[in-house]
Amino acid sequence: MIAVTVALDWTPNTNHAGFFVAQNRGYYKAANLNVTFLNPAQDAYKSTPASRVANGQATFAIAPSETVVSYNCQPKSSAKPQLQSVAALVQSDTSAIVTLQSSGLDRPRKLDGKVYASYGARYEGRIVQQMIMNDGGKGDYTEVTPPMLGIWETVLAGKADATWVFMGWEGIEAKRKGIKLNAFSLEDFDIPYGYSPVLVTSKDILREQGETVRSFLAATAKGYQYAAEAPDVAGELMCQMVTDTPLDQGLVIDSMQMLSEHFLTRDGLWGVQDKTRWERFLDWLSDRQLLTTSVQSRNKVEGVTASLDDLRLGKAGEIIPRDSLSSDALFTNAFLPQGR
């Protein structure tokens, strides 16, 4: 059997449901694939999912679309490979910047002077800053980087005022616990966000292992189609498959009932990405001068990397011309079943 490794973007959750359904129902085995999932909890998120593809530890990684943008905007001296998105896990943006209702922070502009718990990503802080400014604020806030897998808990514990979550997971968890949230979606504040999460791989893998990629995506598509049609059963199957970080079945099923409406296109297809959506996000990043050469680091090296504070203050290197970055280089539908 052909070995395929998928680096998850978070501990197993319902964004990943189709993968676990495909494994449980034998879709991967039928395609002669031996699929392994890398849970970031295994190393406390010391390695990002995309870096695992870049260094050869994984065939695929799950990441937001801005990770793909970042890997295609590396300095010329960088040895990192360019990555490409081959499928959108969900068709709608189910993420939001959230605060606790009890905090009184019911508008993004009220985050001025507050603490945002960050994942430390290259564009994240500046996207949040732009949301605050679009709502009439100054975009002046403190960006902290707690341990990755504890970010949500920092908000619940009152150690941070806001963070970015998936409403289909943390949002459902909060609702089940009676925790009321203020949720600010990016679209509501004039940010044409891209797909998140997406499945990414390297262009070398696409060139050298194209048939394996096609087989994996075809089997995965069947998993997500099953999850969309039978969300409760799919949730139960997922709970059976995930043993390293046991899941709350009630949370999973409630989440699946919400997400099942977002897995597929109106035509019942999984994974399809729209060029216009990618272009709108790239245009927005460029118009706001967020496409810049500096790469973020939690341990800044002067002249080589930038701190998150630097990025928000505009100390982000040179502007990358919009016409140098084509969406065709960032995503492809060609390896999906309908792209054959």
Side-chain angles (χ1 to χ4, degrees):
M1 299 182 79
I2 301 171
V4 171
T5 303
V6 181
L8 302 180
D9 59 334
W10 207 249
T11 53
N13 61 74
T14 45
N15 280 342
H16 313 143
F19 298 108
F20 290 102
V21 169
Q23 193 173 53
N24 180 279
R25 292 185 61 81
Y27 300 154
Y28 293 137
K29 185 176 182 181
N32 195 38
L33 300 175
N34 180 21
V35 179
T36 302
F37 299 103
L38 297 179
N39 184 335
Q42 293 171 355
D43 70 349
Y45 226 116
K46 292 179 181 177
S47 300
T48 66
S51 71
R52 292 186 184 278
V53 171
N55 64 26
Q57 292 180 347
T59 319
F60 300 97
I62 300 172
S65 54
E66 54 266 41
T67 293
V68 182
V69 176
S70 182
Y71 267 80
N72 283 270
C73 292
Q74 295 293 325
K76 293 181 180 180
S77 59
S78 174
K80 291 183 178 180
Q82 292 184 332
L83 301 184
Q84 193 166 29
S85 172
V86 293
L89 270 60
V90 293
Q91 289 296 310
S92 312
D93 177 25
T94 62
S95 73
I97 310 302
V98 299
T99 65
L100 300 179
Q101 277 194 15
S102 59
S103 70
L105 302 173
D106 57 359
R107 300 286 307 189
R109 63 176 175 262
K110 293 185 178 181
L111 293 177
D112 274 337
K114 302 302 181 181
V115 177
Y116 172 80
S118 171
Y119 301 87
R122 185 171 176 180
Y123 302 104
E124 178 189 1
R126 289 178 287 174
I127 290 173
V128 174
Q129 183 179 49
Q130 191 65 54
M131 174 185 275
I132 295 170
M133 294 168 64
N134 286 358
D135 193 42
K138 297 178 180 179
D140 182 11
Y141 67 93
T142 300
E143 188 173 3
V144 297
T145 53
M148 287 287 282
L149 296 176
I151 287 176
W152 173 230
E153 282 68 29
T154 65
V155 174
L156 296 180
K159 297 178 181 178
D161 299 297
T163 194
W164 200 336
V165 303
F166 284 109
M167 295 306 293
W169 190 245
E170 288 91 352
I172 295 292
E173 178 189 16
K175 183 177 180 180
R176 286 173 56 84
K177 292 180 177 179
I179 301 170
K180 295 182 179 181
L181 301 176
N182 298 310
F184 315 131
S185 71
L186 275 65
E187 287 283 352
D188 286 346
F189 294 92
D190 300 320
I191 300 174
Y193 191 45
Y195 291 98
S196 184
V198 294
L199 186 69
V200 306
T201 190
S202 70
K203 295 181 181 180
D204 287 344
I205 288 175
L206 292 177
R207 183 173 58 253
E208 298 167 7
Q209 303 177 46
E211 285 308 309
T212 298
V213 173
R214 288 187 175 91
S215 296
F216 176 77
L217 291 181
T220 302
K222 290 175 64 177
Y224 274 95
Q225 287 163 341
Y226 184 98
E229 294 166 3
D232 289 7
V233 176
E236 293 173 2
L237 295 181
M238 184 175 179
C239 290
Q240 293 172 18
M241 297 300 296
V242 177
T243 57
D244 51 356
T245 49
L247 297 170
D248 177 335
Q249 185 165 309
L251 166 61
V252 169
I253 291 176
D254 284 356
S255 175
M256 285 296 298
Q257 290 173 349
M258 172 192 164
L259 280 183
S260 61
E261 300 178 2
H262 301 278
F263 287 142
L264 309 179
T265 67
R266 293 179 181 177
D267 297 326
L269 301 176
W270 175 78
V272 177
Q273 300 169 83
D274 178 60
K275 181 180 177 70
T276 301
R277 185 164 170 181
W278 274 96
E279 289 288 336
R280 286 178 64 223
F281 187 42
L282 289 174
D283 287 345
W284 182 84
L285 289 171
S286 179
D287 291 344
R288 300 304 185 278
Q289 298 187 330
L290 303 189
L291 291 178
T292 53
T293 55
S294 290
V295 178
Q296 86 287 6
S297 173
R298 298 189 185 202
N299 300 298
K300 173 184 173 181
V301 177
E302 197 67 44
V304 179
T305 57
S307 69
L308 298 178
D309 291 339
D310 286 340
L311 294 179
R312 294 195 321 282
L313 292 171
K315 302 175 183 178
E318 300 298 320
I319 297 293
I320 296 173
R322 173 65 178 88
D323 59 10
S324 70
L325 192 62
S326 168
S327 63
D328 292 334
L330 305 186
F331 86 98
T332 178
N333 291 320
F335 295 85
L336 293 168
Q338 59 274 15
R340 287 180 184 271

